[in-house]
Amino acid sequence: MPPPTATTRPRTSREDRTAQILQVAALLMLERGLKGMTQADVAERAGMKATNLTHYFRKKEDIAFACLSRTMDHIEARIDQAEGEPDAPARVSTFIRLAIEHEKGVREKRVPALAPLSDLRAMSEPGQGLLVARFMTLFKRVKGFFPAVEGTTGRALRTARTHVLIEVLLWLPAWILRYSAADYDRVHHRIVEILTHGLSAGPPWAPLQVEAGEVGIEEGAARRGFLMAATRLINQRGYHGASVDLIVSEARVTKGSFYHHLEAKDDLVTACFLDSLATISRAQHQTDGMAGTHLEKLQSAVATLLELQLSDGDQLLRTSALQGMPTDMLRSALDRSNRAAGRFADMVIDAMSEGSVRAVDPVVASQMLMAAINGAYELRGWAGKLGRELAVEIYASTLFDGLFAEVTPPGR
């Protein structure tokens, strides 16, 4: 805590106690998700009676709203600093550096952990609407890091660049722990390097043509319905927010039919996640044996998955939506996700070897690709206005060409 100055004052005991409650609640939200957190849990970890907690926050939803507001306060403070930089590359670099410095501070127990924004989906109204509106305001400010571009395609490019930048940073806590805290500055520089110059060493966007139907769900119709309903709801509401009742309603089946195919919701969530990872794996391996450069094969895998994410049909289960899963299940899910990222790293290394991808950190690049693909489904409305082929190329250009390249996609 900074010492009191002319513009700061000592915090009151109530403010200190409120800060402690929010820190405890944020950690619980990271462990269990909003739906898995209870007021009793918060009170117990804060070392107070549940009845006393209500003097600070009347309902659990009030605690969650305050936690998520605090997360946005931190993001807003980073935006404030980044906006003071002289140009777009410097603004982006500062924004990333501040996010990484916070993760380092959390790791070294110097600063409090923040509640995950993925829990926004589990909030009820009116809190959710207020927080979403604030997030959209922050999104527009980050979009302001980049110069305005004329035309429909230019505006779409600016939106895609903003979205990918934010998704890369939201995904950061899931993988940066693989690095030593002493290497966090190096991670910052490697992320900035990719976002500034892109992955491609010069060849244009040219994904290979893949036969339709090569990538998709290989399940019976009934099970497929369960998987798709659960995936949509978990992406929207998080692990705890997608109840069995909601899933059977979405899939338009009875509970009896549900339990005929699956023993419990955890089995369904696991099946959804495994299916999503299998879909990613099929996209990654679909070009094996096909003629083309390794860059074209990497672009093909990314294009295939982006087409899936930006369509109105099936979607991949977002790893961030699994917040609140039992610890063992979440650890297994993240481990499997890292295997999928590892395959992307291998593809990047192959392309680097032939000179079609620039010399980059393949591990960092792979996690950035996973973050961008994972988050693309949120831009379905955006993609629908552009047409899927153009939307995929614009979105993919953020990582293959960089955030500041003069890109001229088809139809511009």
Side-chain angles (χ1 to χ4, degrees):
M1 180 188 304
T5 67
T7 57
T8 63
R9 59 173 176 76
R11 290 201 306 193
T12 66
S13 58
R14 181 177 179 84
E15 288 172 332
D16 283 336
R17 193 60 157 158
T18 300
Q20 180 197 15
I21 292 168
L22 294 181
Q23 173 59 6
V24 164
L27 291 171
L28 282 167
M29 290 170 72
L30 284 165
E31 292 172 17
R32 306 178 186 178
L34 169 58
K35 293 294 184 181
M37 177 185 76
T38 68
Q39 284 180 284
D41 292 331
V42 174
E44 181 181 357
R45 288 206 187 179
M48 60 194 303
K49 294 181 179 179
T51 52
N52 291 338
L53 179 62
T54 60
H55 295 306
Y56 296 85
F57 297 98
R58 191 167 61 87
K59 299 180 298 182
K60 182 180 82 169
E61 195 83 2
D62 298 333
I63 301 174
F65 185 89
C67 283
L68 292 170
S69 295
R70 188 182 66 157
T71 298
M72 293 196 195
D73 289 342
H74 278 258
I75 296 173
E76 185 171 26
R78 296 170 200 166
I79 294 171
D80 289 342
Q81 279 194 249
E83 285 177 334
E85 298 292 351
D87 54 34
R91 288 189 283 271
V92 168
S93 179
T94 295
F95 191 51
I96 295 167
R97 175 179 58 79
L98 293 171
I100 290 177
E101 284 178 357
H102 181 81
E103 291 304 317
K104 185 175 182 180
V106 172
R107 184 167 182 171
E108 295 174 347
K109 303 187 186 307
R110 292 184 286 104
V111 298
L114 299 175
L117 288 184
S118 56
D119 270 329
L120 267 174
R121 300 177 180 86
M123 288 286 292
S124 57
E125 296 296 354
Q128 185 185 74
L130 293 170
L131 290 169
V132 168
R134 184 177 180 192
F135 179 80
M136 293 310 299
T137 298
L138 298 178
F139 186 94
K140 289 177 182 177
R141 288 184 63 188
V142 176
K143 188 186 289 189
F145 290 177
F146 304 98
V149 185
E150 294 298 321
T152 301
T153 301
R155 290 191 293 271
L157 183 60
R158 200 166 174 232
T159 295
R161 288 171 170 176
T162 305
H163 181 78
V164 169
L165 171 60
I166 291 173
E167 286 296 322
V168 164
L169 294 185
L170 291 179
W171 183 238
L172 187 68
W175 61 270
I176 198 169
L177 287 174
R178 301 177 65 181
Y179 288 84
S180 163
D183 289 330
Y184 277 26
D185 286 344
R186 183 164 59 87
V187 173
H188 164 238
H189 290 301
R190 292 186 172 182
I191 292 175
V192 170
E193 172 74 8
I194 293 170
L195 290 178
T196 300
H197 302 291
L199 295 172
S200 174
W205 173 257
L208 303 174
Q209 294 296 314
V210 180
E211 291 296 326
E214 285 191 22
V215 176
I217 297 170
E218 297 175 351
E219 299 283 350
R223 187 174 174 84
R224 176 178 182 178
F226 292 138
L227 293 175
M228 289 304 94
T231 296
R232 285 192 297 271
L233 286 168
I234 295 167
N235 281 340
Q236 292 167 7
R237 298 169 175 262
Y239 170 78
H240 282 285
S243 65
V244 171
D245 286 341
L246 286 172
I247 291 169
V248 297
S249 175
E250 180 80 7
R252 298 182 180 180
V253 297
T254 65
K255 274 191 177 181
S257 180
F258 175 94
Y259 288 114
H260 173 73
H261 291 278
L262 298 149
E263 292 184 7
K265 187 181 82 170
D266 283 354
D267 297 324
L268 178 59
V269 174
T270 300
C272 288
F273 191 67
L274 292 178
D275 182 80
S276 290
L277 291 178
T279 298
I280 294 172
S281 180
R282 286 193 292 274
Q284 292 169 331
H285 289 278
Q286 67 188 348
T287 57
D288 289 348
M290 294 179 67
T293 67
H294 288 293
L295 173 61
E296 289 169 341
K297 293 179 180 182
L298 176 61
Q299 289 177 340
S300 175
V302 171
T304 300
L305 292 168
L306 287 179
E307 286 175 4
L308 179 70
Q309 290 289 74
L310 294 173
S311 73
D312 292 327
D314 300 342
Q315 59 188 243
L316 302 174
L317 187 66
R318 292 199 69 180
T319 310
S320 58
L322 300 180
Q323 203 74 45
M325 282 178 66
T327 302
D328 289 345
M329 285 181 63
L330 182 59
R331 189 179 297 117
S332 175
L334 290 174
D335 181 59
R336 289 174 180 272
S337 177
N338 284 330
R339 291 184 210 171
R343 172 62 179 170
F344 272 132
D346 289 344
M347 297 176 80
V348 168
I349 291 169
D350 288 340
M352 285 168 54
S353 298
E354 71 180 7
S356 59
V357 159
R358 299 174 54 260
V360 297
D361 185 322
V363 174
V364 171
S366 68
Q367 294 291 351
M368 292 171 70
L369 285 168
M370 290 289 286
I373 291 167
N374 219 246
Y377 93 101
E378 292 185 351
L379 291 186
R380 290 180 177 217
W382 167 88
K385 296 174 184 177
L386 292 170
R388 198 186 309 171
E389 182 178 349
L390 178 60
V392 167
E393 181 164 355
I394 288 175
Y395 192 87
S397 75
T398 59
L399 293 182
F400 283 96
D401 299 316
L403 298 184
F404 315 109
E406 288 292 332
V407 180
T408 309
R412 191 173 189 177

